[in-house]
C-alpha cells in the first residue's frame, strides 16, 4: 500500500462506549480516518452511513437492535461494493461467522479487540480490496450516463424502490401528428406484459396525452404529482399515482389539462424515468409530436427510440429531418444508434399507389431499416380504442393485432439479444446511407 492512501473506516456498534474506544484507537494511525461521525448504532443506520460515506472498511458488531450485523453486512456488501466489512463478535461463534461470510464479510475480530490486531486487519482487508476499488474507479470514469445511473441506483436503494426489473426504456415518437404513436405505445406495452415481464406505460404527451382514453382509465393522479416532488418519490407514492389497467398493466397518465404541462420540467421527467425504470423490465413512453427540450431529454434517457412514420411523402420528409438531427447532434450523443424504425398504416398491394410510398422506396430513401410494418386496420383499431382495450389483448390472429404483437417480439429481440455484429451492421448501414443523403 502506498504511503498517501487513507483508509476510511466506519464503526458500527450499538454500544456508544465501544464505538468511542475504537475511534480513539484508530485516531493514532495516520493512514486511517474514521468517517460517519460517531459511527452507527444500528444495522439500518450502518447501511445509511455506508451509502453516504462510502467507507473502505466497516467494523461491524453482530448483535444490535433493529437490524443485526449479518443483515447489515449483506446490505452494505450489495450496495457499497468498495466497502470491506469486518465482523466483530464477542467470542468466536462459528454459526455467526459462517453466516457473516455468506453475507459478504471479509474478516473477523474477536472482542475485546487489541489495537495491533485491529490495525493489521483493517490494512489487510483494504489491500485485498484494491481490485474492486480500481474496477469501481474505472466505472465512475466512464461516460456521464453511467455515473448518473449509479447515482440514481443509490437514491433508489435509499428510498426502497425495488430494483427487480431489466429497466429497458423505450420511447415511441413520430415527427408527424397522428402517425399512430399512442396506438403503438399502448399495444406494445400490453404485448410485452406477461406474467414475468413488468411494464410501465408512461404518457409523456404532457399537453394532450390520451393514453387514459385509449385504455379507458380513470386516474386520480398524474405524472405532475410525481415530477413536482421527484427527489422524494418512493415506492409508496409511486403505487398511489400509477393506475392499473384491467390487464394488470401499470400506467402513469398525463395531466388532464394542457396548461398543466407548463409546470412540468423536462429535467424532472428524465429524473423520474431514471428513478423508476429499474423497477420494471420495460418502461414504454408515449411522446408528443413536438421537437423540444422534453423530446431531447426523453431521447437521451431512452435505450431505444421507436420512430414511427406512415408511408406518405410528408411523413418520410419529417422522418428524414429527425434522423438527420439524431445523427449529427453532439449532445446528447449517439442518438441515431438508438433508432428502431416502424411504419404504420401500411396498405396492401391492392391499395398501393394512392398517395402511399412502397416500403422498399422508403428504406432506400432513408437508408434506415424497418423493424416492423403495421398494416392499416381502421376498424379493428378504432373498435379496440372505443372499448378501451389494446388490440393485442383482443386479437393477435389477424392484422393489425398480429403485426403489433410481432413488433413487440422484434423489439424484445433487439433489446435482449442481438449479436454485436448485427448491431454493427444495422448502424453502419444507416450511417453510411445518411452520409450519402446529406453529404
Ligand atoms: N395501423 C392503423 N390502422 C388504422 N388506424 C390507425 C392505425 N394506427 C393508428 N390508427 C388510428 O389513427 C389515429 C391516430 O392514432 P394515434 O392517436 O395512435 O396517433 P398519435 O401519433 O399518437 O397521434 P397524436 O399526434 O395525436 O398523439 C387514431 O384514430 C388511431 O385509431
Ligand atoms: Mg398520441
Amino acid at each position: 500500500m502506498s504511503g498517501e492512501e487513507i483508509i476510511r473506516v466506519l464503526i458500527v456498534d450499538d454500544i456508544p462506549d465501544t464505538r468511542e474506544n475504537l475511534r480513539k484507537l484508530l485516531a493514532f494511525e495516520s493512514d486511517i480516518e474514521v468517517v460517519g461521525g460517531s459511527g452507527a448504532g444500528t444495522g439500518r443506520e450502518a447501511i445509511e452511513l455506508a451509502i453516504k460515506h462510502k467507507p473502505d472498511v466497516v467494523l461491524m458488531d453482530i448483535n444490535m437492535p433493529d437490524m443485526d450485523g449479518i443483515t447489515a453486512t449483506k446490505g452494505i456488501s450489495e450496495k457499497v461494493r468498495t466497502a470491506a466489512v469486518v465482523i466483530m463478535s464477542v467470542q468466536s461463534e462459528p454459526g455467526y461467522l459462517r453466516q457473516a461470510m455468506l453475507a459478504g464479510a471479509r474478516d473477523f475480530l474477536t472482542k475485546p479487540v487489541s489495537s495491533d490486531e485491529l490495525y493489521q486487519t483493517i490494512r489487510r482487508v483494504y489491500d485485498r480490496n484494491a481490485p474492486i476499488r480500481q474496477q469501481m474507479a474505472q466505472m465512475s470514469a466512464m461516460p456521464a450516463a453511467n455515473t448518473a445511473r449509479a447515482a440514481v441506483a443509490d437514491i433508489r436503494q435509499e428510498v426502497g424502490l425495488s430494483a427487480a426489473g431489466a429497466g429497458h426504456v423505450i420511447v415511441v415518437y413520430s415527427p408527424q401528428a397522428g402517425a399512430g404513436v399512442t396506438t403503438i405505445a399502448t399495444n406494445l406495452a400490453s404485448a410485452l406484459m406477461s406474467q414475468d415481464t413488468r411494464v410501465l406505460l408512461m404518457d409523456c404527451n404532457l399537453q394532450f396525452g390520451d393514453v387514459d382514453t385509449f385504455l379507458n382509465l380513470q386516474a386520480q393522479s398524474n405524472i405532475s404529482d410525481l415530477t413536482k416532488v421527484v427527489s422524494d418519490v418512493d415506492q409508496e407514492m409511486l403505487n398511489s399515482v400509477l393506475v392499473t389497467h384491467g390487464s394488470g398493466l401499470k400506467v402513469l397518465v398525463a395531466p388532464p389539462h394542457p396548461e398543466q404541462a407548463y409546470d412540468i420540467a423536462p429535467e424532472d421527467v428524465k429524473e423520474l424515468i431514471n428513478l423508476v425504470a429499474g423497477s420494471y423490465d420495460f418502461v414504454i413512453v408515449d411522446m408528443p409530436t413536438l421537437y423540444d427540450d422534453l423530446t431531447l431529454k426523453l431521447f437521451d434517457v431512452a435505450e431505444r427510440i421507436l420512430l414511427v412514420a406512415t408511408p406518405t411523402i410528408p411523413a418520410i420528409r419529417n422522418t428524414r429531418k429527425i434522423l438527420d438531427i439524431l445523427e449529427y447532434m453532439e449532445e446528447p450523443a449517439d442518438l441515431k444508434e438508438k433508432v428502431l424504425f416502424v411504419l404504420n398504416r401500411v396498405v396492401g398491394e391492392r391499395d398501393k399507389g394512392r398517395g402511399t410510398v412502397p416500403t422498399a422506396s422508403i428504406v432506400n430513401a432513408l437508408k434506415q431499416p424497418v423493424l416492423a410494418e403495421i398494416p392499416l386496420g381502421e376498424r379493428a383499431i378504432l373498435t379496440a380504442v372505443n372499448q378501451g382495450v389494446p388490440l393485442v389483448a383482443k386479437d393477435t390472429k389477424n392484422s393489425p393485432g398480429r403485426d403489433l404483437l410481432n413488433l413487440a417480439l422484434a423489439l424484445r429481440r433487439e433489446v435482449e439479444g442481438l449479436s454485436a455484429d448485427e448491431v454493427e451492421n444495422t448502424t453502419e448501414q444507416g450511417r453510411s446511407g445518411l452520409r450519402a443523403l446529406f453529404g
Side-chain angles (χ1 to χ4, degrees):
M1 193 183 90
S2 86
E4 309 102 79
E5 283 180 46
I6 300 285
I7 310 176
R8 308 171 76 247
V9 178
L10 174 68
I11 302 169
V12 185
D13 199 301
D14 59 331
I15 301 167
D17 280 351
T18 309
R19 296 203 300 272
E20 186 52 25
N21 289 338
L22 285 167
R23 208 178 60 77
K24 279 183 187 148
L25 278 180
L26 296 177
F28 292 115
E29 300 304 292
S30 60
D31 61 336
I32 294 176
E33 180 197 352
V34 173
V35 298
S38 63
T42 72
R44 222 175 284 281
E45 212 185 321
I47 295 180
E48 277 166 26
L49 288 179
I51 289 173
K52 192 164 165 206
H53 296 282
K54 307 262 183 300
D56 300 306
V57 177
V58 180
L59 300 175
M60 178 74 77
D61 184 23
I62 286 198
N63 287 312
M64 287 180 295
D66 150 23
M67 180 194 281
D68 66 88
I70 308 272
T71 312
T73 298
K74 191 159 182 289
I76 292 175
S77 307
E78 285 170 6
K79 290 170 189 178
V80 188
R81 287 193 50 221
T82 49
V85 179
V86 175
I87 296 282
M88 303 179 296
S89 61
V90 180
Q91 70 265 132
S92 27
E93 298 144 305
Y96 277 147
L97 296 192
R98 202 182 112 74
Q99 280 179 38
M101 244 170 61
L102 290 175
R106 302 299 167 76
D107 218 322
F108 309 95
L109 285 167
T110 308
K111 285 185 191 172
V113 181
S114 80
S115 53
D116 278 350
E117 227 187 325
L118 180 64
Y119 304 148
Q120 274 169 23
T121 307
I122 288 176
R123 290 182 185 123
R124 188 170 58 232
V125 295
Y126 178 80
D127 285 347
R128 265 199 249 136
N129 238 13
I132 296 182
R133 279 196 304 279
Q134 259 161 30
Q135 193 191 335
M136 298 306 272
Q138 274 163 13
M139 274 174 65
S140 61
M142 283 197 308
N146 283 337
T147 25
R149 202 166 292 155
V152 166
D154 280 354
I155 300 169
R156 295 171 47 75
Q157 276 153 354
E158 283 179 66
V159 300
L161 282 164
S162 89
H168 301 297
V169 177
I170 313 293
V171 300
V172 190
Y173 176 78
S174 177
Q176 165 209 9
V181 167
T182 307
T183 302
I184 288 175
T186 48
N187 278 284
L188 184 61
S190 176
L192 286 169
M193 199 196 56
S194 62
Q195 279 186 330
D196 59 347
T197 305
R198 305 211 259 158
V199 181
L200 171 65
L201 174 61
M202 268 179 89
D203 196 343
C204 286
N205 190 346
L206 300 179
Q207 289 200 5
F208 294 103
D210 48 6
V211 164
D212 54 348
T213 313
F214 271 61
L215 297 177
N216 192 20
L217 295 168
Q218 266 86 46
Q220 304 300 319
S221 322
N222 62 73
I223 186 168
S224 71
D225 296 305
L226 295 178
T227 48
K228 66 186 169 210
V229 289
V230 72
S231 49
D232 294 324
V233 168
D234 59 17
Q235 191 72 58
E236 200 183 329
M237 193 187 301
L238 189 62
N239 291 344
S240 72
V241 173
L242 298 184
V243 263
T244 309
H245 183 251
S247 63
L249 179 68
K250 296 286 178 192
V251 184
L252 182 57
V253 305
H257 307 293
E259 69 276 11
Q260 286 173 279
Y262 290 114
D263 299 331
I264 302 177
E267 188 54 44
D268 292 341
V269 177
K270 182 177 163 185
E271 196 181 333
L272 178 67
I273 294 176
N274 269 325
L275 192 65
V276 301
S279 302
Y280 297 88
D281 295 308
F282 285 89
V283 176
I284 307 295
V285 181
D286 183 6
M287 289 179 63
T289 294
L290 304 169
Y291 174 70
D292 61 6
D293 189 25
L294 177 62
T295 314
L296 281 179
K297 289 266 176 359
L298 291 173
F299 285 170
D300 188 21
V301 78
E303 181 181 328
R304 290 308 185 110
I305 302 167
L306 267 198
L307 186 60
V308 181
T310 58
T312 56
I313 300 284
I316 302 311
R317 220 174 254 158
N318 285 348
T319 304
R320 207 169 85 171
K321 286 181 198 162
I322 279 293
L323 286 171
D324 196 15
I325 291 172
L326 297 182
E327 166 93 345
Y328 296 104
M329 176 152 319
E330 282 182 4
E331 188 60 39
D334 299 331
L335 293 181
K336 174 65 173 42
E337 268 135 69
K338 298 181 179 181
V339 170
L340 296 171
F341 186 40
V342 178
L343 282 173
N344 188 28
R345 293 172 161 269
V346 175
V347 296
E349 274 310 316
R350 265 191 313 147
D351 298 309
K352 280 263 154 71
R354 297 192 202 154
T356 68
V357 185
T359 302
S361 312
I362 297 170
V363 172
N364 199 31
L366 296 175
K367 297 291 179 285
Q368 175 68 42
V370 172
L371 178 73
E373 292 176 71
I374 313 295
L376 183 72
E378 213 80 63
R379 223 166 98 199
I381 287 187
L382 270 183
T383 315
V385 173
N386 287 338
Q387 293 172 345
V389 182
L391 186 55
V392 291
K394 282 168 35 116
D395 177 13
T396 50
K397 284 214 177 72
N398 303 297
S399 266
R402 186 180 55 210
D403 310 273
L404 286 161
L405 177 64
N406 283 335
L407 164 63
L409 297 176
L411 174 78
R412 244 211 143 110
R413 278 196 299 276
E414 282 290 331
V415 297
E416 284 175 355
L418 191 71
S419 78
D421 281 354
E422 285 170 299
V423 173
E424 194 54 43
N425 283 342
T426 328
T427 48
E428 191 45 47
Q429 206 181 320
R431 243 186 256 140
S432 53
L434 272 165
R435 253 182 248 126
L437 264 179
F438 300 106

